Amino acid sequence: MTLPTLDLVVLLPQLIVLTAALLVLVVDGLSGARSWLLAGISLVALLAAGAAAIWLSLQPGEPRRLQAMAVADGFALLFDVVIVVAAVLGVLLAYQSIPRISQQVGSYYALLLLAVVGMMTMGAALDLIVVFLALEILSLALYILAGFNRSEPRSAEASLKYFLLGAFASAFFLYGAALVYGATASLNLEAIAAALAGGSRSPAMLYLGIALLIVGFGFKVALVPFHMWTPDVYPGAPTPVTAFMSAATKAAAFAAFLRLFLTALPTAQPTWSWALAVLAAVTMTLGNVAALRQRELKRMLAYSSIAHAGYAAVGLVAGTAQGAGAVLFYLLAYAFMNVGAFGVVAALERAGEYDVARGRLAGLSERQPALAAAMAIFMFSLTGIPPFAGFFGKLYVFGAAVAAGWGWLVVIGVINSVISAYYYLQVTVEMYFAAPAAEAPAAAAAGKKGRAVAKAAAPSPAPEEGKAAPAPLSRATAAAVLAAALGTVLIGVLPALLTGWIAQAVQGIF
Amino acid sequence: MLDYAWLIFVPPLAALLVNAFFGRRLGKPAAGYLGAVAVGLSFLVALGIFFGLLGLPAEERSHTVTLWSWIHIGNFRPDFALLLDPLSSLMALVVTGVGFLIHVYSVEYMKLDDEHHQLDARRYARYFVFLNFFIVAMLILVLANNLVLLYLGWEGVGLASYLLIGFWFHKPSAADAGKKAFLVNRVGDFGMAVAIMLIFAAVGAQAGSLAFTDLYRVIQQSAPLLAGVASTVTLLLLLAATGKSAQIPLWVWLPDAMEGPTPVSALIHAATMVTAGVYMTVRMSPLFELAGNTLTWVAWVGALTALMAATIALTKTDLKRILAYSTISQLGYMFLGVGVGGYVAAMFHLTTHAFFKALLFLAAGSVMHALHGELDINKMGGLRAKLPTTYRTFLIGAAALAGFPLLSGFFSKDAILVATFEHHAYLLYAIGLVTALLTAVYSFKMVFVPFWGQPRDRKLFDHAHESPALMTLPLWVLAALSVVGGLVNLPFVATLEHWLEKLVALGPVGKPEHPALAVELALLAVSALVALGGIWLAYRAYVQQPDLAVRIRERIKPLHTLAANGYYFDWAYNKLVEGLWAFSRFLAGAVDQQSIDAAVNGLARAFGWLGSRTSRLETGLVSLYALSLFVGLVVVLGYFLATAIIGR
């Protein structure tokens, strides 16, 4: 009897992050541990994991595999990079605000790192059971993170709702996996594809399974009508958590979604792509229309993230390598611009506040010009205006869909972009053209004196009576917003730096 | 070594950033020195590029440096890449060389604002940010290896021009002038954008990079691909060039652009940016030759612009306005040169013009500096006693502009006239000669009226003072260049022709077929006589018999009125805009607000209502959410089962 060989290098990024998660818990247990040390360990581990992923992706030859369970191919590793981006920004954002709402800073970072382990494994998984395990690892961590603000009942409510509905969706997913196993006698993605190549023996069982899998993934990426948790959970969770999960969970779920459907189920593509196309169209439309009327930023961004899940799904509908690459590009762009937007919200938040009203942005360009400029970049990018990352994300996704013959879906997508411009640009209008109601005289005076060149950390919020002023912008938050803005601009100016790399990476899943 | 050509962008970019963020802290002269030194360093890099190319055999002098791949969408894949060849290296030298001198001049000149108060440090630094930004954009324009990148630079210099014309934005006239320049240029830029799209549509599969070298290859190997669109494309490019280089019909913005600070007029609106149109036409000349007729259009646009602008210049009394119309007129010469296939002559004149026109503007700025902003030459007089350096350098510049024998302008203008003559375009040649005569007259009007004779305004005269050394030094350097600049392309030596020969060898029209030496010498003599005659006329009319000019003016009153009003181009545009305005008011009222807006607003209201309905679905009840999940599942399932059943 021989023991199976385990090439654990495949999981190198995950192992690094996992080690760091445990290390954070141990260090937190020692008395006198500083918050900066915990954040530092997390940051270093995440960056090391990102470097490991890039190093692995540069290895020549066939991608390494861990038995038939996981693979370290370009596709998985690039998604690791996307997740690392979101996580790094999430850690930076957490540095200021999490200590304000909780004593257990260590467990926050540990949970976040555990979620990252699950997310990275989603993209690498070659087996339905591994996908499910990864899904549960990341979900359980996120349920707790969503309820991390224990003094705020809405945070607890968000956590509970997320948990209940998530459990429901996980059950659907597991059932779907079981049915697919029933139809193909295999859980391995490539074996499933091989089994289906000669036609399915029991198509009804197979399709039932696919439908259930769509529900499971649809829940995680928030496709309509499986989205209803989002507008409650996003505002309820602490803002750094929302920022992190909005980008990273989406990336992880789409990674597994793409690999599962394109590697294992290409024979059923004509069927599932139509179902997904309709879901994508409904998702884009409903997300954008609902966002129009939101007066609060986090809730608005929650609906906006639903709409963006729809845009990304368009790339999956295309079902080609071009489409898969476009989704990857889109999610990387989204990680920068969306986490950045939430970062600005986090910077504006006052202690004990549930959500930030849009009116609070009035006059921000005078008070904190750098913050306002960054927010404007994120809003332009989310709308899809060049030369920002979001424009090329949409361009590639829509281009792939057109090339694959999904013209009508792209028309709906473009109309939706127009609708979305209304509420994104409203934010910009508010920041630059609206006079702040209560603070008008102060802001005007400040504007007259110093419309100086933007300084990253200009803490000049006019104090208001009766309300707690937002804490001055911390270095960590400023760094996160700055990094996100730089990323958004750089990807928009130099998209071709990534496209070649991505096009090569996605070949592995076909 | 050529691969390090990108270094040329680094100093101005770095100085721009430093001045943008710390300019106020750097303080008044320091920010200016930083900007000037940066451009000086760029000039050294440009020299490096020049000598690097010089070291290569003539047929290898076309070197592409790809910095990064820029956009990849299907076939459309322009790179961020530089094309280093004799043409671009000449332009880079002019831009950074003249640019450096003007930056140095600005260090002192911009210490005061337009009302001769101290300019505050923040705006002083901002000026240099804009000026450095201009240099960067202009270098992108001339070094770009493809049309898309060229377009980026094209728009960049347009933006810099807008910002700098309106630099004294508290003056409504300056703000309006900036707006006008920007709007008029949009018309041309539109032509450029459409032209690029048409080229891509025609040859996207063969030359998706839109790189010039690829386009040349396509033109040589599979010309039929482009033959169909060549006429349209080149006419659109000509439109773009008339916008940027202030030719008929889009010249109206340049005289108003004189509202900007004088060094800006020298750098952007005389020496470099306005020549971008000439550069672009020369760069795209193989395509123009493919189109055939367009080159005739180019020549006629150039010749008519040259003549008309010269007549307008004669009627003006504002020193900077005269120079502005003179610039338009000289740019017309360059287009004439391009139109008759004299690309080398056009580039030669572009270079010498950059020297002497920058010199004239800077000297005019020195006069303004001395007279507290006065520009009306009828209020000056006798200034040569008070401003000896300014006078001497201005005299050299004016003589070069007039085509005084053996100065740079003489050779370059003659080169264009010879090219026209060789092209057998005798009518165009005659127009060129008449323009040369007028040029000599107004050039020396600018010398005789302000600098000679008796002071006309005592108070102004008494307060006049020579400018500091930091301003006169660039004047002397430019004066020296204006004198010896002709050396780069002496007839019979033709260094520039040699340097640019690859460019010339591209097309059939541009092949230099030198006529008999006697003809060339005769033409040279004619040019010299015309220039001297013009100067003599100016002497008669403005020094000997000051009433002569008045009498002539009376004699040809209708013509004079026509020219003095700029041939009513502005008036016509105003009428056009007013007409459009009335039309757009109608559209805005009856069509837009009452029909389209009503529909759009209705739609928006409907969406808003839908939005509020949709979010009302968010009741917060988990059971309802779960139900939605379930309903979704049932729908998807139903669809799949239906497919499965039908599929079977």
Side-chain angles (χ1 to χ4, degrees):
Chain A
M1 182 185 152
T2 52
L3 285 170
T5 52
L6 293 180
D7 187 0
L8 285 174
V9 178
V10 170
L11 295 180
L12 187 58
Q14 284 93 329
L15 290 175
I16 292 173
V17 179
L18 184 62
T19 314
L22 299 176
L23 190 62
V24 164
L25 281 180
V26 172
V27 171
D28 190 34
L30 305 174
S31 59
R34 297 275 171 82
S35 157
W36 65 263
L37 182 63
L38 302 172
I41 295 172
S42 313
L43 277 183
V44 169
L46 286 168
L47 292 175
I54 291 172
W55 173 74
L56 273 172
S57 75
L58 295 176
Q59 298 297 305
E62 279 289 298
R64 304 170 80 145
R65 282 159 184 261
L66 182 71
Q67 294 290 355
M69 290 295 162
V71 63
D73 59 1
F75 179 80
L77 297 166
L78 271 182
F79 265 109
D80 288 354
V81 172
V82 177
I83 292 160
V84 164
V85 166
V88 165
L89 297 176
V91 168
L92 285 173
L93 288 179
Y95 185 69
Q96 184 190 17
S97 53
I98 293 304
R100 284 198 309 211
I101 58 171
S102 171
Q103 303 291 318
Q104 294 142 315
V105 183
S107 43
Y108 176 87
Y109 291 122
L111 283 166
L112 187 142
L113 294 175
L114 285 173
V116 168
V117 172
M119 289 167 177
M120 287 175 155
T121 312
M122 288 282 276
L126 277 182
D127 190 284
L128 282 173
I129 290 299
V130 180
V131 175
F132 180 70
L133 277 177
L135 190 68
E136 287 304 293
I137 294 174
L138 79 91
S139 299
L140 286 172
L142 286 178
Y143 299 148
I144 305 172
L145 285 175
F148 213 73
N149 188 356
R150 282 201 274 166
S151 57
E152 168 66 56
R154 301 218 209 194
S155 183
E157 184 192 332
S159 175
L160 186 62
K161 273 184 191 163
Y162 194 25
F163 171 65
L164 285 175
L165 294 165
F168 205 37
S170 290
F172 280 130
F173 179 88
L174 199 57
Y175 195 13
L179 289 173
V180 169
Y181 177 74
T184 62
S186 177
L187 284 168
N188 179 279
L189 303 190
E190 281 147 350
I192 293 172
L196 290 178
S200 172
R201 279 172 293 119
S202 45
M205 197 195 279
L206 175 72
Y207 285 134
L208 194 58
I210 296 177
L212 286 162
L213 289 175
I214 288 180
V215 175
F217 281 123
F219 176 82
K220 275 293 158 209
V221 302
L223 290 179
V224 175
F226 319 113
H227 70 288
M228 304 222 17
W229 57 278
T230 313
D232 283 351
V233 173
Y234 275 26
T239 310
V241 177
T242 315
F244 165 67
M245 71 189 259
S246 71
T249 314
K250 221 164 243 148
F254 262 113
F257 208 164
L258 284 166
R259 196 193 284 277
L260 175 56
F261 276 63
L262 296 178
T263 304
L265 306 169
T267 42
Q269 190 175 345
T271 317
W272 58 252
S273 59
W274 264 97
L276 278 176
V278 174
L279 288 182
V282 175
T283 304
M284 289 187 284
T285 312
L286 198 127
N288 281 318
V289 168
L292 283 181
R293 274 299 172 99
Q294 303 307 323
R295 309 290 310 166
E296 281 150 339
L297 286 175
K298 280 168 80 178
R299 210 172 165 84
M300 186 197 92
L301 285 171
Y303 279 110
S304 132
S305 85
I306 295 174
H308 282 277
Y311 297 130
V314 171
L316 174 58
V317 169
T320 54
Q322 199 190 348
V327 175
L328 216 175
F329 187 96
Y330 196 95
L331 290 167
L332 180 61
Y334 187 71
F336 280 111
M337 62 195 183
N338 206 50
V339 179
F342 273 115
V344 174
V345 174
L348 293 173
E349 223 166 17
R350 296 181 174 126
E353 194 174 32
Y354 170 63
D355 201 338
V356 178
R358 202 169 58 195
R360 284 263 305 285
L361 290 170
L364 188 68
S365 60
E366 300 281 356
R367 292 197 305 273
Q368 286 171 303
L371 205 58
M375 189 63 163
I377 289 176
F378 301 136
M379 291 298 123
F380 285 138
S381 182
L382 284 167
T383 316
I385 293 173
F388 301 113
F391 167 74
F392 282 98
K394 270 187 191 161
L395 182 72
Y396 291 136
V397 164
F398 290 162
V402 168
W406 292 95
W408 65 269
L409 188 57
V410 171
V411 171
I412 292 180
V414 171
I415 292 175
N416 266 292
S417 293
V418 177
I419 297 176
S420 74
Y422 179 82
Y423 61 87
Y424 289 133
L425 297 185
Q426 192 108 14
V427 169
T428 322
V429 169
E430 201 85 52
M431 289 189 301
Y432 281 90
F433 299 111
E439 307 156 331
K448 212 173 265 174
K449 258 187 289 168
R451 202 174 295 150
V453 181
K455 266 182 276 168
S460 57
E464 272 179 65
E465 293 159 40
K467 283 188 203 164
L473 192 55
S474 79
R475 288 229 182 90
T477 310
V481 172
L482 182 69
L486 277 180
T488 307
V489 173
L490 266 182
I491 296 177
V493 176
L494 303 170
L497 283 188
L498 292 169
T499 44
W501 200 20
I502 288 175
Q504 214 181 353
V506 293
Q507 291 305 330
I509 63 167
F510 287 92
Chain B
M1 196 184 94
L2 287 176
D3 289 331
Y4 293 97
W6 53 268
L7 281 172
I8 200 168
F9 297 113
V10 175
L13 213 52
L16 181 165
L17 289 175
V18 171
N19 269 339
F21 288 102
F22 312 106
R24 191 160 43 155
R25 243 175 280 170
L26 274 180
K28 205 113 136 260
Y33 281 120
L34 178 67
V37 167
V39 180
L41 291 174
S42 282
F43 177 64
L44 294 181
V45 181
L47 275 178
I49 295 173
F50 175 77
F51 285 112
L53 285 172
L54 205 60
L56 295 174
E59 58 277 6
E60 284 172 27
R61 282 181 194 149
S62 173
H63 188 80
T64 302
V65 184
T66 307
L67 301 187
W68 59 76
S69 36
W70 189 20
I71 305 170
H72 278 194
I73 305 163
N75 281 333
F76 184 70
R77 38 188 59 214
D79 286 336
F80 208 102
L82 313 178
L83 175 62
L84 307 175
D85 68 356
L87 183 60
S88 63
S89 76
L90 175 69
M91 288 299 290
L93 277 177
V94 171
V95 170
T96 52
V98 177
F100 170 61
L101 293 172
I102 292 172
H103 272 74
V104 171
Y105 179 95
S106 298
V107 170
E108 188 66 39
Y109 187 89
M110 290 307 292
K111 281 184 181 166
L112 303 179
D113 68 8
D114 57 330
E115 280 153 354
H116 275 252
H117 301 305
Q118 289 290 320
L119 183 64
D120 75 271
R122 192 158 49 92
R123 300 207 58 213
Y124 182 80
R126 186 186 296 170
Y127 170 85
F128 283 95
V129 170
F130 291 164
L131 215 56
N132 277 337
F133 171 74
F134 167 77
I135 295 284
V136 172
M138 189 71 199
L139 285 173
I140 290 178
L141 197 166
V142 299
L143 292 175
N145 98 316
N146 63 68
L147 277 171
V148 183
L149 191 56
L150 182 145
Y151 189 64
L152 180 75
W154 189 271
E155 293 291 337
V157 293
L159 173 64
S161 161
Y162 164 77
L163 292 170
L164 285 164
I165 294 172
F167 192 72
W168 309 128
F169 55 78
H170 48 83
K171 270 201 307 189
S173 58
D176 286 347
K179 239 184 293 175
K180 182 171 173 183
F182 201 76
L183 289 176
V184 173
N185 265 300
R186 303 259 32 99
V187 179
D189 296 352
F190 172 75
M192 184 88 176
V194 176
I196 295 176
M197 290 175 204
L198 285 177
I199 292 177
F200 178 73
V203 300
Q206 284 76 26
S209 65
L210 289 178
F212 299 119
T213 43
D214 289 346
L215 292 178
Y216 297 159
R217 200 193 60 232
V218 170
I219 289 170
Q220 262 165 7
Q221 292 170 1
S222 38
L225 278 176
L226 271 167
V229 291
S231 292
T232 323
V233 166
T234 48
L235 283 175
L236 286 167
L237 289 176
L238 175 61
L239 178 71
T242 60
K244 193 63 81 198
S245 296
Q247 300 291 296
I248 292 173
L250 296 180
W251 63 0
V252 288
W253 65 270
L254 187 59
D256 288 12
M258 297 301 126
E259 292 288 344
T262 307
V264 170
S265 309
L267 177 62
I268 300 184
H269 305 117
T272 54
M273 183 192 84
V274 287
T275 62
V278 180
Y279 164 76
M280 188 268 291
T281 5
V282 172
R283 179 58 86 195
M284 297 301 292
S285 57
L287 191 62
F288 277 85
E289 289 179 6
L290 197 67
N293 278 336
T294 318
L295 277 179
T296 318
W297 280 89
V298 174
W300 274 98
V301 165
L304 288 178
T305 309
L307 179 65
M308 288 166 77
T311 55
I312 301 175
L314 265 179
T315 64
K316 297 289 172 191
T317 58
D318 176 314
L319 193 54
K320 277 183 78 181
R321 296 261 160 167
I322 302 177
L323 287 172
Y325 280 106
S326 158
T327 303
I328 296 175
S329 172
Q330 298 301 308
L331 289 166
Y333 266 118
M334 296 173 210
F335 278 101
L336 171 62
V338 173
V340 298
Y343 305 125
V344 177
M347 291 308 295
F348 181 28
H349 196 51
L350 186 157
T351 311
T352 60
H353 176 257
F355 297 149
F356 60 71
K357 193 50 72 61
L359 167 61
L360 286 169
F361 266 112
L362 294 188
S366 176
V367 172
M368 270 176 85
H369 201 73
L371 301 182
H372 290 264
E374 186 53 58
L375 271 171
D376 189 347
I377 57 172
N378 284 340
K379 290 189 183 159
M380 305 172 188
L383 285 176
R384 65 177 155 167
K386 282 275 193 173
L387 311 171
T389 309
T390 305
Y391 166 66
R392 279 182 213 137
T393 49
F394 193 95
L395 179 65
I396 294 171
L401 171 60
F404 191 84
L406 304 185
L407 295 186
S408 59
F410 170 68
F411 289 119
S412 58
K413 202 182 294 175
D414 181 65
I416 288 176
L417 290 174
V418 168
T420 315
F421 192 83
E422 285 165 6
H423 197 66
H424 309 295
Y426 301 115
L427 186 55
L428 289 172
Y429 176 75
I431 295 178
L433 268 191
V434 173
T435 308
L437 183 78
L438 296 175
T439 307
V441 177
Y442 72 68
S443 300
F444 275 80
K445 177 181 175 185
M446 290 189 291
V447 173
F448 294 140
V449 178
F451 291 103
W452 288 36
Q454 293 305 311
R456 294 179 180 78
D457 185 331
R458 259 288 149 200
K459 223 178 108 197
L460 267 181
F461 182 81
D462 289 339
H463 282 93
H465 56 89
E466 185 59 281
S467 300
L470 208 56
M471 283 168 65
T472 51
L473 204 68
L475 291 183
W476 278 119
V477 178
L478 284 168
L481 286 169
S482 303
V483 174
V484 301
L487 289 180
V488 301
N489 199 32
L490 274 187
F492 324 118
V493 182
T495 328
L496 195 63
E497 200 145 297
H498 191 65
W499 176 239
L500 293 175
E501 67 191 344
K502 191 137 185 278
L503 158 87
V504 179
L506 264 177
V509 186
K511 286 210 181 67
E513 32 158 313
H514 278 287
L517 190 61
V519 177
E520 205 157 335
L521 275 177
L523 291 176
L524 207 59
V526 171
S527 294
L529 282 177
V530 165
L532 292 172
I535 295 170
W536 176 77
L537 269 177
Y539 185 71
R540 293 270 299 166
Y542 298 109
V543 181
Q544 283 189 326
Q545 291 175 286
D547 56 326
L548 183 66
V550 181
R551 268 186 293 150
I552 295 176
R553 205 179 303 151
E554 287 306 311
R555 186 84 52 84
I556 54 162
K557 189 138 194 174
L559 270 179
H560 180 267
T561 320
L562 192 64
N565 286 301
Y567 295 91
Y568 294 98
F569 266 83
D570 270 318
W571 177 85
Y573 277 124
N574 281 340
K575 283 286 163 217
L576 178 70
V577 171
E578 274 168 31
L580 287 176
W581 219 333
F583 183 57
S584 86
R585 254 199 305 273
F586 163 73
L587 286 183
V591 180
D592 192 56
Q593 282 174 5
Q594 283 159 32
S595 2
I596 298 178
D597 261 18
V600 172
N601 286 341
L603 195 67
R605 257 197 297 278
F607 269 117
W609 178 82
L610 210 61
S612 55
R613 288 276 127 175
T614 327
S615 35
R616 213 173 290 172
L617 284 175
E618 292 290 334
T619 52
L621 285 179
V622 179
S623 49
L624 188 74
Y625 294 3
L627 184 67
S628 142
L629 218 78
F630 194 72
V631 170
L633 171 71
V634 169
V635 172
V636 175
L637 256 185
Y639 162 76
F640 272 110
L641 287 180
T643 345
I645 290 160
I646 294 163
R648 191 177 287 174

